[in-house]
Amino acid sequence: MKERDKNIENSKKDSSADSLESASPLSGPLRGEKICVIGAGFVGTVTASGFARFGHEVVCVEKDDKRLSLLRSGRIPFYERDLEQLVKTEMSGGRLMFESDLEKGIEGVKAVFLTVGTPSSNGGRADLTALQEIISFLSKKMKPGQILVIKSTVPVGTANMIKKYFSENGNRADIEVVNNPEFLREGNAVYDFFNPHRIVIGGNSTGAIETISHIYKMGMTRPVPIFTTNNETAEMIKYASNVYLATKVGFVNELARLCDRVGVNTMEVARVIGADPRIGQEFLNPGPGWGGSCLPKDLREFIGLGDSLGVSLHIPRAVSEANLRQFEHVYRKVKSLAGDIKGARIGVLGLTFKANTSDLRESPAIPILTRLIENGAEVIAYDPAADGEVIDLLPGIHRVDDPYETAVGSDCMLILTEWSDFQLLDWGRISETMKNKNIVDARNILAPELLKRYGFNYASIGQN
Ligand code: UGA
């Protein structure tokens, strides 16, 4: 047998626990389970209400009083498309409830889904403080046979650490620990929950894996691949996905910088290279840089894990650095059109890290606008959903409630988020109120020809 074939054979043996099954809707009747979801952030709320829609009885536990009372009254504390309707329907159907008491929440449930945040710590590694606090509580309160399902993105090895903790603290080896990473995009999370590309379940108990598979199968209306594997592989799958996505966007952003120089349209190149299924069409839109609450922190943890093990990860490191350059690239585009930044008035459309979310976490708007403000620009910004922290994160900006106001007397418009509403603005009217008709469309959402007709100097990312 050739060496390569031997390796493939061996790797098949090593991963003999791994399997792929199709989560087609089952023919026989399935019983709804009692489930607890810990954390009512966007992942927790979508997961809890989604499982309720599947027919399960779900308690979602949230410790923040303000958030809890909003949710109990059927309102969502952040912007997530279709979620309010889903939560309202499931609450009124009696399958979903919100609870503050964790002990009550886990009473009599089959599975406890953990969705608490794992933000970056100062050193860049994932901060597991919130998770550890809950684990310590659960080790005392969970009952034998209950399954702990980790949905939060956790460093490779976390589930095994939890298992060890459970056995060493109170002899709780009777609790199964399973990983079930989420692949929900903010802004599309409800859609993604009901239309997953795949479901990943990691663990070493066949019974626990089967129970979690059934929880999903109950609601699936079409076949979805379910990958079952061990805990650490499931943990790695989540990081590898997000790091790869950042790499893909990072690549197209660099391609755009080169295309700008040689006068080639990146969008056209992306469309054609994406027609090759090995590359794929998605995540090839150049922009102001990737951000959000997931990709940046997961990249840092991934790099940190490599460093801690003496594995230097050159590609993710370069992707991170290239992203900082992309922010700088957008700043320079504004500068080249507006001229002197000191004293320039810049009208900004979009602050969130992408459209259809109110989330500002690690939004490219923060470094780009901070740089403009530090260099003396006056920044007037509009965003249809950005949450209240705008002023904390960007103390120097002047936020307005009307997109047209950003243009009045401005030297340059800057589009940072791809909200579709911006395409529908009356760009003729905007041009008339500006002092100088410059625009940097950092999301390539406008039609260059139209803008040029209105007399704009138009700059985009990789279409010039
Ligand atoms: C990401 C993953 O896509 C989800 O699968 C994952 O579940 C989630 O993280 C998570 O770990 O919870 P999300 O953070 O909502 O989801 O954002 P993405 O849609 O992945 O976008 C990330 C960034 O890349 C945004 O700043 C976006 O504007 C940018 N991007 C994306 C581009 O600039 N161009 C593209 O073509 C695509």
Side-chain angles (χ1 to χ4, degrees):
M1 199 188 272
K2 281 194 196 129
E3 200 52 37
R4 182 172 166 273
D5 296 339
K6 262 195 236 157
N7 287 341
I8 292 172
E9 270 308 301
N10 286 339
S11 77
K12 275 187 196 156
K13 275 183 214 143
D14 291 345
S15 60
S16 56
D18 303 1
S19 68
L20 161 63
E21 64 176 298
S22 204
S24 45
L26 290 189
S27 43
L30 274 174
R31 216 165 30 90
E33 297 285 3
K34 274 187 90 176
I35 294 172
C36 172
V37 174
I38 305 178
F42 97 98
V43 174
T45 314
V46 171
T47 304
S49 49
F51 281 154
R53 173 58 59 93
F54 283 1
H56 303 294
E57 200 181 310
V58 188
V59 183
C60 184
V61 177
E62 171 57 52
K63 67 174 186 182
D64 182 311
D65 289 341
K66 214 169 131 200
R67 185 169 277 240
L68 191 71
S69 65
L70 274 174
L71 286 161
R72 279 177 167 162
S73 66
R75 280 171 297 156
I76 309 296
F78 45 86
Y79 179 81
E80 186 61 52
R81 216 167 13 187
D82 301 332
L83 186 56
E84 189 163 308
Q85 192 52 49
L86 180 63
V87 166
K88 275 186 180 153
T89 312
E90 296 313 314
M91 274 170 65
S92 60
R95 287 175 298 272
L96 172 67
M97 61 178 278
F98 291 94
E99 173 61 62
S100 59
D101 185 336
L102 183 51
E103 191 166 354
K104 260 198 206 158
I106 62 171
E107 206 178 287
V109 302
K110 184 76 196 162
V112 178
F113 285 77
L114 196 54
T115 72
V116 294
T118 53
S120 285
S121 62
N122 286 342
R125 300 296 304 269
D127 177 356
L128 300 181
T129 315
L131 183 129
Q132 276 156 350
E133 207 179 289
I134 292 169
I135 294 300
S136 147
F137 183 87
L138 294 178
S139 72
K140 297 178 200 102
K141 303 289 178 185
M142 279 178 81
K143 298 276 183 291
Q146 287 188 315
I147 306 165
L148 173 64
V149 188
I150 305 170
K151 227 178 206 319
S152 307
T153 303
V154 291
V156 178
T158 303
N160 287 337
M161 264 164 41
I162 295 173
K163 286 182 198 173
K164 194 159 169 253
Y165 180 86
F166 277 168
S167 3
E168 286 169 4
N169 290 270
N171 205 14
R172 301 309 314 275
D174 51 11
I175 303 169
E176 294 298 343
V177 183
V178 165
N179 291 83
N180 171 224
E182 53 85 15
F183 302 102
L184 307 174
R185 292 164 299 167
E186 282 186 41
N188 290 290
V190 173
Y191 177 87
D192 288 349
F193 185 87
F194 292 108
N195 300 278
H197 293 119
R198 79 291 209 198
I199 291 161
V200 175
I201 305 173
N204 54 10
S205 146
T206 317
I209 290 177
E210 258 171 27
T211 302
I212 306 308
S213 302
H214 276 83
I215 286 175
Y216 279 99
K217 282 181 184 173
M218 248 197 71
M220 290 299 157
T221 51
R222 63 177 175 83
V224 174
I226 295 189
F227 294 90
T228 62
T229 183
N230 57 33
N231 294 92
E232 53 275 42
T233 307
E235 289 163 344
M236 184 60 97
I237 286 168
K238 176 59 196 270
Y239 281 98
S241 299
N242 276 0
V243 172
Y244 192 80
L245 292 173
T247 306
K248 201 169 177 191
V249 178
F251 171 78
V252 82
N253 282 342
E254 279 209 330
L255 174 71
R257 301 217 285 269
L258 186 62
C259 283
D260 263 346
R261 281 297 175 92
V262 291
V264 167
N265 188 334
T266 321
M267 306 298 273
E268 207 180 322
V269 177
R271 200 169 52 246
V272 179
I273 63 169
D276 180 337
R278 290 173 303 172
I279 296 173
Q281 296 286 359
E282 306 240 349
F283 269 65
L284 283 179
N285 293 313
W290 45 267
S293 62
C294 306
L295 265 48
K297 78 165 171 70
D298 292 349
L299 209 87
R300 286 192 286 270
E301 165 58 32
F302 191 74
I303 293 170
L305 175 68
D307 285 348
S308 73
L309 299 169
V311 182
S312 189
L313 298 167
H314 302 282
I315 294 174
R317 227 183 268 285
V319 169
S320 231
E321 277 169 27
N323 207 38
L324 299 179
R325 283 173 205 267
Q326 192 67 8
F327 304 153
E328 177 66 17
H329 182 63
V330 174
Y331 168 79
R332 285 179 188 279
K333 288 226 167 207
V334 175
K335 193 166 183 243
S336 74
L337 289 190
D340 200 357
I341 290 295
K342 196 169 166 40
R345 194 176 160 98
I346 314 294
V348 175
L349 293 175
L351 295 168
T352 52
F353 78 96
K354 64 173 183 177
N356 303 317
T357 174
S358 50
D359 202 340
L360 278 168
R361 282 175 287 179
E362 304 216 27
S363 171
I366 299 167
I368 295 167
L369 300 184
T370 300
R371 182 119 159 79
L372 283 166
I373 292 165
E374 278 170 3
N375 283 284
E378 188 189 352
V379 173
I380 297 95
Y382 167 80
D383 188 286
D387 56 29
E389 331 157 46
V390 173
I391 300 303
D392 299 338
L393 292 168
L394 285 161
I397 70 161
H398 177 51
R399 187 175 179 186
V400 292
D401 294 328
D402 176 355
Y404 291 100
E405 253 186 78
T406 61
V408 180
S410 79
D411 295 288
C412 186
M413 292 297 289
L414 169 60
I415 299 183
L416 287 177
T417 312
E418 72 282 22
W419 288 101
S420 55
D421 297 2
F422 299 158
Q423 289 169 316
L424 305 175
L425 292 173
D426 180 346
W427 285 94
R429 175 179 157 195
I430 287 180
S431 75
E432 280 159 20
T433 62
M434 291 178 74
K435 187 166 148 209
N436 292 302
K437 296 179 188 182
N438 298 309
I439 181 160
V440 176
D441 174 8
R443 292 286 183 171
N444 297 352
I445 56 168
L446 301 178
E449 290 317 314
L450 178 79
L451 274 284
K452 284 173 191 161
R453 234 183 296 140
Y454 288 127
F456 277 100
N457 295 313
Y458 175 85
S460 63
I461 306 290
Q463 292 187 111
N464 301 299

